[in-house]
Amino acid sequence: MSSTTVETIVKPSKANIAVFTNPAHKLWINEAEPTVEDVQKGESLKQGEVTVAIKSTGICGSDVHFWHAGCIGPMIVEGDHILGHESAGQVIAVHPSVTHLKVGDRVAIEPNIICNECEPCLTGRYNGCEKVLFLSTPPVPGLLRRYVNHPAIWCHKIGDMSYENGAMLEPLSVALAGMQRCGVKLGDPVLVCGAGPIGLITLLCCQAAGACPLVITDIDEGRLKFAKEICPSVITHKVERLSAEDSAKKIVESFGGIEPAIALECTGVESSVAAAVWAVKFGGKVFVIGVGKNEINFPFMRASTREVDLQFQYRYCNTWPRAIRLIENGVVDLTKLVTHRFKLEDSLEAFNTAADPKTGAIKLPTMSSSLARPMLRQSGAWGRMAARRFESTTTSKAAETAKDSASKAAAAASEYSAKAAQGLSRVASSAGPAIAGAAKGVANSLGKVGGRTGRLVSFVEKQVPTAVYYSKVGSEVAKIVFKGQKMTPPSMTTFQSYWQNVWKSVQNPNALLQTASKVAQQPSSIIQQARNVSRAQVLTAGVLLAECLGFFTVGEMIGRFKIIGYHGGAPAHH
């Protein structure tokens, strides 16, 4: 794009800064792409793109989770990563190929880029795109920055709507996607599980759709009180520590004895999903919007005998125009959900507020010019700043120590995982040729001899590769285990001697029986030796035993027993 095609109302002069996190769970601000120079020249724009100056961004629970846990399911933070995906702003540069947007337009950003080639895309359900780039989901950088280049097709005009409401269109889209698919109708008794941001917005949507009676549940009295403030007609129900079945009975009592037709589950918590299944009427529906664990238990037979439909949701599609109309016409009012506001410079405080249930934060925006779910406003006090790491003045020394310990643990786990991979690689590279060579030599011998000699050679052919292989395996596993125990591992010669002794014992069964008899006569000694067996020794023996039995590979067993913090490629939750 040539510089002549770039129009700006106010020429950008402030550095592009962003809120980053990383696998060590740090949070800081640093300069980001595109640079202010690129924005001024328009050279970084690609065909179909516009540059948006972000004015308001909401902090989502997933942003806090990526910061604290470093992952959500298979989505893992593996490097420096920009957070944020609930944003609105002003177009400040337009590629010549874009005709429906112009400089100065106020837009809300739908934070995805799809392939337009796979079946979900071609059938209109692009939230299932197989190659989607979803902003703020690793490794795709998010929107918590001053400027961003984004495809114009995903920048929706919001007219005179406030930037805060524009940022709130993203969580509203989540609720609308659930409403559309679950089929709430006028007069339906509806249960909303969870009074977090998505639960509250879903509540407002159900109210607008004419659902009645409406019951919302939560474990927090403060959130239920807030739900009553924004939707006076709702019946609030505080969840107690009961079985799912008993909890469902209490919920039905809150409905006045009416079983809900639809439960919109907005927590993803196993007990909440189970209670919803128990609560809905025969032929009812439990629609799960919330995100939970990889696997959960639920009352299968209750759902089966009551013909309860259980459905799930993944993000949204084709919801933004509808969401914009609802806000513009006052059908849904989200302004009260913005409970805190921060400048972009104060992002650390905003994230700490969003992460602390005691603050009562619902939505917090950060602004480039304000967060409540917390919202961050981005102001211009930063100028051309050097990288500035946030250091909390309110975090206790104990918390800092815990973070340092977690960071060191993560580093150690990473080191041991690498060691495991290297060790197993050496097993394959060194044991493999030895096995192949032994087999080749035996095969040549078999071609020349027969009878009992041939059978003997055949037996040796079967034993030699096994002995060589497990000597190598034992050596590598021992190196890993002993490293963790800060001990010196035995040499390869030791392991080979061990196998030789075992072989001699097998050849001389009388000696083996005599040894067993002596051991049997000293039961106290056996018990003491068993007590002295370390966890590492037990796990190592288990790994080798399972491998001998042919159940799993050594690498998989190491992962299963978690000897070294290796989780089969899945992230460790901190």
Side-chain angles (χ1 to χ4, degrees), residues 259-263 276-287 298-311:
E259 293 179 330
I262 296 174
V277 172
W278 276 101
V280 295
K281 69 176 186 178
F282 184 92
K285 177 180 293 186
V286 175
F287 191 91
F298 77 99
F300 174 83
M301 284 309 300
R302 173 69 174 185
S304 175
T305 58
R306 299 267 290 185
E307 292 191 357
V308 174
D309 291 339
L310 183 59
Q311 285 185 270

Side-chain angles (χ1 to χ4, degrees), residues 4 13 30 61 66 83 97 229 242 246 268-269 280 299 365 381 392 529 540:
T4 59
S13 60
N30 201 354
F66 278 131
L83 298 167
S97 60
E229 290 176 3
L242 301 171
D246 290 339
V269 176
V280 295
S392 174
Q529 290 179 12
T540 304

